[in-house]
Amino acid sequence: MDGHGRKAGSGRRPAQQVARIHDVAKLANVSTATVSRALASPDRVSAETLARVLNAIASTGYVPNPAARSLRSHKTGMVLVVLPDLANTFFSRILRGVEETLFEAGYGMIIGDLDGSPVKEAHFAAFASAGRVDGAILLNGHLFGQSREGKGMPVAINIPLVALCEAIPNADIPQIEIDNRLSAETMTRYLASLGHRRIAYVSGPAGNVLERERMRGYRDGLEAEQIAFDAGLVIGGDYTVESGVAAGRDLLAREARPTAVFCTSDEMAIGLMRTVHSHGLRVPRDMSVAGFDDIEFAAVAEPALTTIHQPRRQLGQAAATALVSLLSGRTTPRSIRLETSLVIRESTAPPL
Amino acid sequence: MDGHGRKAGSGRRPAQQVARIHDVAKLANVSTATVSRALASPDRVSAETLARVLNAIASTGYVPNPAARSLRSHKTGMVLVVLPDLANTFFSRILRGVEETLFEAGYGMIIGDLDGSPVKEAHFAAFASAGRVDGAILLNGHLFGQSREGKGMPVAINIPLVALCEAIPNADIPQIEIDNRLSAETMTRYLASLGHRRIAYVSGPAGNVLERERMRGYRDGLEAEQIAFDAGLVIGGDYTVESGVAAGRDLLAREARPTAVFCTSDEMAIGLMRTVHSHGLRVPRDMSVAGFDDIEFAAVAEPALTTIHQPRRQLGQAAATALVSLLSGRTTPRSIRLETSLVIRESTAPPL
DNA sequence: CTGTTAGCGCCTTCAC
DNA sequence: GTGAAGGCGCTAACAG
């Protein structure tokens, strides 16, 4: 109850003096509120005033302080993108689509690379719920703090969320994805149409949503082509080159080899082809190999890989567009599915 | 000057009520100042008080508001990473190293993907100088707003900066890179040691810093092996698969073909190998091919690519570590060079 | 269309 | 070791 402490909370500002809204207001002979309005909604200010303000802004070099703005408006202009592996070429192309669209809409992109660490996931959940971003795009197949099985203690996230690529079951948020099941069926039927009857399947990680859907599609395809499902032809993988190599070894060691192999990722297909070649066999002469994703290197593999093309950039753009809609108070479809296509290259051919 | 407007500036807060520092203070029977201290410097608060505060924080679920904190402290806890192409697999692996280290140090990572757009570059420069990040890592080979030739009007950036991979000439900031010149010399001499005398060189974009260094190394290598430099053996490229394909066509159309080709990126090498194969020739029997970078797919190319390995993850970690030092008020070396290594695989062999 | 005013949530100086 | 209080810079609400 005394009126001292005049310099309390000085928080020394950077040596280089920066213009504040107050300086602009003085120079333009208006109030700070008018400057704020001129920036936020120029049409609510008279043309003449607007010009004066703009002039003053230009000559002072004024740039609004984002922290102050954020404190007041509860907006950050930032979006968090959570993904399992930043180094994976599959994701990086998607990210580019996300970034483009967010940029155009005026949002910045913060990356949360999970790297398989629950600690990091918890961190990003806290990050998001602390209000450091306006929204988030989830590429990791589950909600913050929630294991895939839906256990754990989910943090209550109070910002708009969008799921990309890996659908999140039971989550009431927009989901942007491809039709994994149909795409896998298409590939399976294509291989069957070449005359293959023994078509092996190299899977993704157990429990993965994508894996579940692709496996269903594989079985749909077999059924449609009247080929009996053979569990012995299903080989475990995890989408990496190494697991493709391992799957190749497994297959080549068998007496009754399949004539075609459907790998549920291009990386596995490339690893598998390499193994086949190193055993003195040739793709597709001795064995047809197909992939999934159509990453950059699918087209320049030897032989060039037959695969399912995913529109990765568009997936990213669609997710960002959906999130921006939500952030603007508009609505967006609960589910968006983008078309894939079968890309036939050199790695598949009729059996001998 | 009347005392009304009691609710002015309410700025309706999220429906879900969140604990503020005030709530914690009340619950712990202390002042807000004490709560703040307990968080910032626990040793300046009595053990008993600290325990009460921590308890109150736990039971309220209090999380400090980052905007308010940033407004007061002029710190954001964020780092901007500027790079030319997010979709490029070369960068994404580096990014992972950056992210890891920043995460451990408590910083978040904002991505600025340039995409060759000067508009975006200007935007990110403004972004950084508006105080939205505490520091930045530049992978794009030049300072904000400054063209490679040093023209243009550079925005004065008042935050710590670190250059990664592409050195920035005349910039007084820490630079983290490899020795491009020496690495290129090593590769050139290795090819010469196999017995090659006609060694072609597929370049990067003209004017690029990396290109300049690698070209120097190529010439150093030729000189050391007493091979005359032949400008006719230098083919223009831009590090992409497509330019490798084009370079291959160029070379194959010639009468006097080189017996070995040093491509200054793995992507170009892969594109070039494909062209060679599609002309019915084999690598390395008819032509040796070497790359640079050692991206993931170099090891699984057919034939597996001989190349220069860059420690990408460590490069990212080193850059982030340097920046964190700067942000903590510590110093860091002006220049850090990480070791590369020659990786000999299957794509190179003695000439026939 | 414009000005006044209050306060977003926190940190920090000053006083005790 | 702790409390009181001002203010970081901006925008929202209201009055005119």
Side-chain angles (χ1 to χ4, degrees), chain A residues 25-50:
Chain A
K26 249 195 313 203
L27 191 61
N29 256 313
V30 294
S31 71
T32 59
T34 299
V35 176
S36 181
R37 268 183 223 113
L39 253 24
S41 31
D43 42 323
R44 312 192 68 190
V45 167
S46 81
E48 192 194 4
T49 309
L50 181 60

Side-chain angles (χ1 to χ4, degrees), chain A residues 13-215:
Chain A
R13 70 179 67 98
Q16 178 179 353
Q17 192 70 316
V18 169
R20 265 82 46 81
I21 198 170
H22 189 78
D23 306 317
V24 175
K26 249 195 313 203
L27 191 61
N29 256 313
V30 294
S31 71
T32 59
T34 299
V35 176
S36 181
R37 268 183 223 113
L39 253 24
S41 31
D43 42 323
R44 312 192 68 190
V45 167
S46 81
E48 192 194 4
T49 309
L50 181 60
R52 280 216 315 285
V53 171
L54 260 27
N55 243 317
I57 288 176
S59 65
T60 53
Y62 168 71
V63 179
N65 177 315
R69 184 174 263 190
S70 174
L71 179 58
R72 242 349 280 244
S73 64
H74 299 288
K75 281 175 190 162
T76 62
M78 288 289 153
V79 166
L80 174 66
V81 181
V82 178
L83 76 179
D85 181 4
L86 185 49
N88 186 312
T89 163
F90 177 71
F91 291 117
S92 58
R93 176 59 55 104
I94 289 179
L95 272 190
R96 197 157 209 203
V98 170
E99 207 271 353
E100 280 171 15
T101 302
L102 289 181
F103 181 84
E104 279 169 32
Y107 287 94
M109 182 174 79
I110 296 176
I111 298 285
D113 187 9
L114 252 26
D115 199 12
S117 154
V119 175
K120 293 191 83 166
E121 177 149 5
H123 173 88
F124 291 121
F127 189 92
S129 61
R132 301 188 66 144
V133 290
D134 295 339
I137 296 177
L138 272 19
L139 277 137
N140 55 328
H142 49 125
L143 246 23
F144 283 125
Q146 224 173 357
S147 73
R148 276 197 179 74
E149 291 71 32
K151 292 177 213 151
M153 186 180 58
V155 182
I157 304 283
N158 41 10
I159 56 174
L161 257 28
V162 168
L164 177 54
C165 288
E166 293 200 31
I168 302 178
N170 309 323
D172 188 24
I173 62 178
Q175 318 242 0
I176 287 78
E177 56 182 334
I178 59 162
D179 191 332
N180 285 285
R181 182 172 182 171
L182 182 60
S183 301
E185 179 184 348
T186 300
M187 180 60 86
T188 306
R189 298 194 65 174
Y190 163 69
L191 292 171
S193 78
L194 288 175
H196 294 282
R197 298 274 113 184
R198 293 183 53 73
I199 303 171
Y201 174 95
V202 183
S203 77
N208 181 285
V209 183
L210 302 179
E211 163 53 22
R212 232 154 25 217
E213 290 298 303
R214 290 176 192 175
M215 170 56 95

Side-chain angles (χ1 to χ4, degrees), chain B residues 40 162 189 203 231 274 329:
Chain B
V162 168
R189 296 193 68 173
S203 77
R274 210 162 145 85

Side-chain angles (χ1 to χ4, degrees), chain B residues 308-319:
Chain B
I308 295 289
H309 176 77
Q310 291 205 50
R312 297 188 279 159
R313 183 179 196 156
Q314 285 95 314
L315 282 165
Q317 291 172 332

